[in-house]
Structures are given as structure tokens and as C-alpha cells.
Amino acid sequence: MNPRRVHDLMRRYFPKIDGAEHEWVVVVDEAGLRREVLEALLGKIVPAEELIVEVHRKIGGMVPRAAAIAMVAKHVGRGDIRIADRKFTGFLVVLRSGVATGWTEINADAEIDYQDETISH
């Protein structure tokens, strides 16, 4: 899945976030990404093995969980990173400031055709 497709999907199906309504967790410290904290949050909120990740409109893809965590580690601080499952029912945001939050919701509008989509590694 190319970054343009990811950006389009995120614009259509990723909900707007009101920061005051969520509990935030510090996932980046002076040593970098706290992988275990991010992995735990992802496991709780977005347990799928294939994740859609968008750093910004030119960097994104549908990748396996390990690649998603590596992508966050590489690009943290460069933008607000959004992560969702293929059905857009689990959502996670890592802000450039190094905090993250996640939530789930039913997204009945997300009738997405993935027939021609492949996972990029």
C-alpha cells in the first residue's frame, strides 16, 4: 500500500482526536522510543498483526506489527504518527512530543476494498 493510499484512508476513516478526552502515555524519553511501552499499548488497543501507519502524507504503509514499531522509532518527533488496524476499529496516535494514546470504536463506514493491496516490509 503506497503512502498516498494510506493518507487517503487516514483522512477518510481515522477519527478526529480531542486530546483532553484521552489518557496519554509517555512512549519516548531521552534514550528514544520506549518500545515495550508502545508494544503494550498497541497490543491492548490495536492487536492486529497488519497495521496501517502514517507518519505524514509521504511516509506510510500497511506493515506487520514489528515494522510498524520500527517505523515509529525511526520517525518519532517528525510528525504525529497515526496507526490503525485494517478495519479502522483500533486507533493509536504518537505525537511528535513523545506521548501516545489509543482507543477503539466501531467504524461501520469503513468498507475498504483491500483486494489489490499488499503488505510492504
Side-chain angles (χ1 to χ4, degrees):
M1 182 179 299
N2 68 41
R4 176 177 282 162
R5 174 80 166 133
V6 169
H7 183 66
D8 180 54
L9 290 172
M10 290 294 192
R11 286 185 58 219
R12 290 181 70 190
Y13 301 115
F14 202 96
K16 301 285 184 208
I17 182 168
D18 179 358
E21 293 181 359
H22 294 276
E23 183 176 324
W24 295 87
V25 177
V26 177
V27 295
V28 178
D29 61 17
E30 59 278 346
L33 181 67
R34 298 171 60 201
R35 287 180 183 267
E36 66 286 344
V37 176
L38 180 61
E39 287 172 358
L41 189 57
L42 268 174
K44 179 179 165 188
I45 304 295
V46 192
E49 284 303 312
E50 296 176 356
L51 301 172
I52 300 173
V53 182
E54 181 186 41
V55 177
H56 55 67
R57 68 181 181 87
K58 293 186 178 182
I59 299 176
M62 183 166 52
V63 297
R65 175 179 294 282
I69 292 169
M71 187 180 284
V72 171
K74 181 177 180 179
H75 297 288
V76 72
R78 295 185 184 173
D80 295 343
I81 301 170
R82 299 187 292 178
I83 302 172
D85 59 8
R86 290 171 58 105
K87 295 182 180 181
F88 283 87
T89 57
F91 306 95
L92 191 130
V93 177
V94 180
L95 298 182
R96 69 183 62 216
S97 63
V99 296
T101 192
W103 68 97
T104 60
E105 63 183 61
I106 296 173
N107 194 344
D109 296 332
E111 294 294 328
I112 305 162
D113 180 14
Y114 289 106
Q115 272 186 336
D116 297 328
E117 307 292 349
T118 57
I119 298 176
S120 53
H121 299 283

